[in-house]
Amino acid sequence: MSKSQLPSEEEQFEVYKKVAERYGERPVIIRTLDIGGDKKLDYLELPSEDNPFLGLRALRLCFELKPIFKTQLRAILRAGAYGNIGIMFPMVGSIGDIRFAKQIIKEVKEELEKEKIVYGKGVKIGIMIEIPSIALMADVAASEVDFASIGTNDLCQYLMAVDRLNPNVAKYYQSFHPAMFRLIQQIVDAFSKQNKPVSVCGELGGNPQAVALLAGIGIRKFSMNASSIAAVKEAIINLDLNKAKRMSRTVLELSTAVQVENYLNSEFVH
């Protein structure tokens, strides 16, 4: 996003390799090109759409721009030989999306083999769960991938049918709606049954009250902006897991976002 043109395979490879080497055995997750909606590249013209959040973006766009997609996958796979790298696909809407993306990875691996280029054979594959359709198919998705990350911003947007950047409908964007936590519980249960890790990112991942609830549901990995780390760490250090589980059970039985927020405020009185 900071460049004036698409980075080449070598440019991407050098950056990914540097990160992989720096982190050693610790996992590094690289999300594939995730533009469209509110994220644009000045040098890549996207189609004009009435509702770009429901349009050609993220993985859908990568399928249409396959050469760009394959260039990034080649760079990630090559860097995978230098550390513990995982590939994560954003805005997956169906099992078909997962299988098509995996097929492209297979093609890229075959090309690298043919060219005798070293790459990471054990690179893990994961998905962003942001669309309700894939959340409801989480049991099948878990059998197709190695891990998942729940993108709470877009998941809420699609679940509540609200454009999260439109101030006219801001009150309908309710990230603490019980439906959100019910859906997250369903995802966690599906992945846990297959011993596959699932994390949370987005605004909920950086909210100390939400983190307590999500820990009660079973989430153990959280992604957030650097500015939220201290508050979330403090919340986790002081967290009584039994209380968190009790709170999550209560929230799953509530009816509205207001009830959830009032309940959390009463539980977190200082």
Side-chain angles (χ1 to χ4, degrees), residues 128-265:
M128 293 282 289
I129 298 181
E130 305 166 281
I131 301 178
S133 57
I134 201 69
L136 292 167
M137 295 291 290
D139 56 335
V140 185
S143 66
E144 293 278 343
V145 299
D146 300 305
F147 65 92
S149 179
I150 303 170
T152 58
N153 294 353
D154 271 340
L155 183 61
C156 182
Q157 170 169 248
Y158 298 130
L159 185 64
M160 306 304 296
V162 177
D163 178 350
R164 59 188 171 91
L165 299 182
N166 184 343
N168 296 323
V169 290
K171 66 181 179 182
Y172 297 104
Y173 180 82
Q174 301 172 349
S175 55
F176 279 85
H177 196 286
M180 275 286 288
F181 294 103
R182 287 189 180 197
L183 200 52
I184 291 170
Q185 179 75 76
Q186 188 171 326
I187 297 164
V188 171
D189 289 346
F191 273 76
S192 296
K193 279 179 185 171
Q194 298 189 42
N195 295 315
K196 304 279 180 75
V198 58
S199 59
V200 160
C201 65
E203 289 174 17
L204 283 184
N207 182 301
Q209 290 188 356
V211 164
L213 267 188
L214 294 167
I217 285 172
I219 295 289
R220 294 293 178 270
K221 292 185 178 184
F222 299 90
S223 174
M224 68 206 71
N225 290 324
S227 58
S228 301
I229 291 174
V232 170
K233 271 187 141 179
E234 184 183 10
I236 290 172
I237 288 167
N238 295 318
L239 185 65
D240 178 332
L241 200 51
N242 287 325
K243 178 183 176 181
K245 289 176 180 176
R246 173 179 58 76
M247 286 168 52
S248 68
R249 285 194 298 269
T250 299
V251 163
L252 293 174
E253 296 301 319
L254 296 177
S255 306
T256 68
V258 171
Q259 286 178 331
V260 172
E261 289 168 11
N262 288 343
Y263 171 68
L264 289 175
N265 288 334

